[in-house]
Amino acid sequence: GQSLEQPSEVTAVEGAIVQINCTYQTSGFYGLSWYQQHDGGAPTFLSYNALDGLEETGRFSSFLSRSDSYGYLLLQELQMKDSASYFCAVRGQGGKLIFGQGTELSVKP
Amino acid sequence: DAGVIQSPRHEVTEMGQEVTLRCKPISGHDYLFWYRQTMMRGLELLIYFNNNVPIDDSGMPEDRFSAKMPNASFSTLKIQPSEPRDSAVYFCASSGTSGGREQFFGPGTRLTVL
């Protein structure tokens, strides 16, 4: 089977840095994606790691260690608008995505 | 580009009725995915198509659910008969030839079955 684990909730203050971890157990791993979803909205793509290492996109970075079946999303210079749910998702064969349960991030002033 | 288009945005129906959800993917995208999101089960992949052909429908809950993609610009997800436990937000997503690297989600259809 396939499973992903990520914390259910994280709270941080504006301007801070927060890391959301994701561990996975899966067969046929092709990469790890991260999506953001605001209340009532659609998930939107943030980043994708196929190989080990760090990918940086502006204030967001994502890391993958395939040997540890582990990845994380790093959000820097937090802003109030970053309050949302963040999902890691394993990409399997054919582009199939299996999503984690999501981490609800609350950014406080 | 208008993005992925879904209709209706909201649907309220009574148990036993047929429900049809519609999706128009982004032009040129080869992959189309249907997801269901609930508080209890999170975001689940129901079925996906590549070049209009269903590739994996292992996530379809039961025979009451069916999905079609008659052409590259249109897909439907049908529930017949509907049940209260089908209440959820249903998302359609599409992606290009890279498959699941980046999927573009539609706004979703919020389905309530009474």
Side-chain angles (χ1 to χ4, degrees):
Chain A
Q2 301 184 74
S3 67
L4 294 91
E5 289 199 16
Q6 53 181 126
S8 58
E9 296 178 342
V10 172
T11 301
V13 297
E14 226 175 345
I17 299 172
V18 72
Q19 179 174 312
I20 300 174
N21 299 319
C22 176
T23 57
Y24 58 88
Q25 285 186 314
T26 183
S27 55
F29 178 86
Y30 287 78
L32 189 70
S33 297
W34 289 92
Y35 284 77
Q36 178 192 61
Q37 185 180 32
H38 286 98
D39 267 352
T44 57
F45 173 82
L46 291 177
S47 69
Y48 176 74
N49 296 69
L51 303 174
D52 287 358
L54 192 68
E55 293 279 342
E56 297 181 73
T57 309
R59 295 186 298 114
F60 295 177
S61 303
S62 59
F63 172 83
L64 175 65
S65 169
R66 295 176 67 130
S67 61
D68 295 323
S69 298
Y70 164 76
Y72 65 73
L73 179 70
L74 192 73
L75 298 86
Q76 303 182 72
E77 300 172 22
L78 280 175
Q79 302 175 10
M80 297 296 289
K81 67 178 181 179
D82 296 330
S83 292
S85 291
Y86 292 84
F87 295 86
C88 59
V90 165
R91 181 188 174 198
Q93 188 171 8
K96 181 175 178 176
L97 284 181
I98 304 299
F99 282 83
Q101 287 293 97
T103 298
E104 187 173 345
L105 171 64
S106 297
V107 180
K108 307 293 186 186
Chain B
D1 199 321
V4 175
I5 298 171
Q6 290 186 247
S7 65
R9 295 292 307 275
H10 301 273
E11 176 83 20
V12 180
T13 191
E14 292 190 347
M15 183 173 62
Q17 296 298 305
E18 177 179 295
V19 175
T20 299
L21 311 182
R22 297 173 176 79
C23 175
K24 177 179 168 55
I26 293 173
S27 177
H29 279 186
D30 298 331
Y31 289 81
L32 184 139
F33 305 83
W34 281 101
Y35 293 90
R36 177 173 68 177
Q37 186 174 34
T38 61
M39 288 294 293
M40 290 297 295
R41 300 178 66 87
L43 196 58
E44 304 173 276
L45 176 66
L46 300 177
I47 185 172
Y48 79 94
F49 296 83
N50 178 214
N51 292 322
N52 313 338
V53 176
I55 303 300
D56 186 339
D57 65 354
S58 59
M60 295 286 262
E62 49 198 271
D63 292 344
R64 297 185 298 107
F65 285 68
S66 62
K68 294 182 180 179
M69 191 164 186
N71 57 63
S73 59
F74 183 66
S75 177
T76 59
L77 178 68
K78 186 175 292 186
I79 309 172
Q80 166 64 18
S82 58
E83 297 182 2
R85 60 187 167 133
D86 302 330
S87 297
V89 180
Y90 291 81
F91 287 104
C92 174
S94 70
S95 66
T97 53
S98 59
R101 178 183 171 90
E102 178 174 357
Q103 293 185 14
F104 296 82
F105 282 73
T109 295
R110 182 173 296 276
L111 173 64
T112 303
V113 184
L114 302 174

